[in-house]
């Protein structure tokens, strides 16, 4: 029994170490790849870009909900003097503004059924401001979802989306 203890302990320590390394590095690799793919697909940096209506033919890997309108904004706030001013236009049904950091974590979600939603996204380490959100990492993705279960409502959501904004600004001091 004693001669198996050391190899089993090494095996267990290796497994725990690999698990920890995977949990630490995988989200950054996944989000880095996602950001590159979104850039290749024309998702703008610091501006909302609407995606085509979801159909089974339009999905490649993950099936998004066909009942939702989606708009994405990639952001990079590595300049500590920059911030994003965000606006999600009013929509009469469910809508949300979700923030994802470079580790794939959803660090904030704002809902605004029937109302205009505005906020400011500040870089990591910023001084908190009332109504503002501080991102834990310099880059990430902001996602707008609107309930639009048919083609007519999807078109209406796209029209409402023209008033959405994800605008890079300089922090005034």
């Amino acid at each position: 029994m004693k001669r198996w203890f050391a190899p089993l302990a090494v095996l267990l320590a290796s497994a725990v170490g690999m698990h920890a390394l995977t949990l630490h590095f995988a989200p950054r690799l996944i989000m880095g790849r996602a950001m590159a793919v979104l850039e290749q697909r024309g998702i703008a940096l610091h501006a909302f870009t609407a995606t085509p209506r979801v159909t089974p033919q339009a999905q490649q890997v993950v099936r998004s909900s066909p009942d939702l309108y989606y708009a994405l904004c990639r952001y990079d706030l590595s300049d500590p003097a920059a911030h994003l001013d965000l606006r999600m236009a009013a929509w009469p049904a469910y809508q949300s503004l979700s923030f994802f950091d470079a580790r794939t974590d959803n660090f904030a979600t704002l809902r605004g059924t029937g109302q205009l939603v505005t906020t400011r996204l500040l870089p990591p380490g910023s001084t908190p401001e009332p109504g503002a959100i501080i991102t834990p990492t310099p880059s990430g993705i902001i996602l707008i979802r609107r309930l639009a279960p048919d083609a007519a409502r999807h078109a209406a959501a796209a029209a409402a989306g023209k008033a959405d904004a994800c605008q890079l600004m300089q922090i005034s001091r």
Side-chain angles (χ1 to χ4, degrees):
M1 180 78 170
K2 287 184 180 181
R3 72 180 200 181
W4 289 103
F5 180 73
L8 285 175
V10 168
L11 177 66
L12 182 61
S14 297
V16 168
M18 286 304 297
H19 180 72
L21 287 172
T22 300
L23 289 177
H24 181 73
F25 288 111
R28 292 177 201 273
L29 293 172
I30 291 166
M31 187 58 99
R33 179 70 181 128
M35 295 285 276
V37 168
L38 290 174
E39 182 179 7
Q40 291 169 355
R41 290 186 180 173
I43 303 298
L45 186 64
H46 309 132
F48 280 111
T49 306
T51 62
R53 185 161 188 256
V54 174
T55 63
Q57 296 78 24
Q59 291 300 293
Q60 295 178 351
V61 180
V62 178
R63 181 150 160 76
S64 302
S65 172
D67 292 340
L68 295 175
Y69 160 90
Y70 295 96
L72 299 158
C73 173
R74 295 181 306 117
Y75 68 88
D76 181 356
L77 295 177
S78 20
D79 177 0
H83 70 267
L84 286 177
D85 280 344
L86 298 156
R87 179 178 60 242
M88 180 173 64
W91 179 247
Y94 168 84
Q95 69 175 354
S96 66
L97 184 64
S98 299
F99 299 82
F100 297 89
D101 69 11
R103 296 179 301 241
T104 71
D105 293 331
N106 176 209
F107 62 91
T109 299
L110 306 174
R111 290 173 182 83
T113 302
Q115 64 189 21
L116 170 73
V117 174
T118 61
T119 191
R120 178 171 284 174
L121 185 65
L122 303 173
S126 294
T127 304
E129 295 178 11
I133 298 168
I134 298 175
T135 178
T137 61
S139 63
I141 299 170
I142 303 166
L143 172 65
I144 290 179
R145 294 180 191 101
R146 289 190 172 101
L147 183 60
D150 54 46
R153 284 185 274 191
H154 190 274
K162 291 180 181 176
D164 297 335
C166 178
Q167 188 172 13
L168 183 66
M169 307 292 283
Q170 293 299 312
I171 295 176
S172 56
R173 305 253 174 200

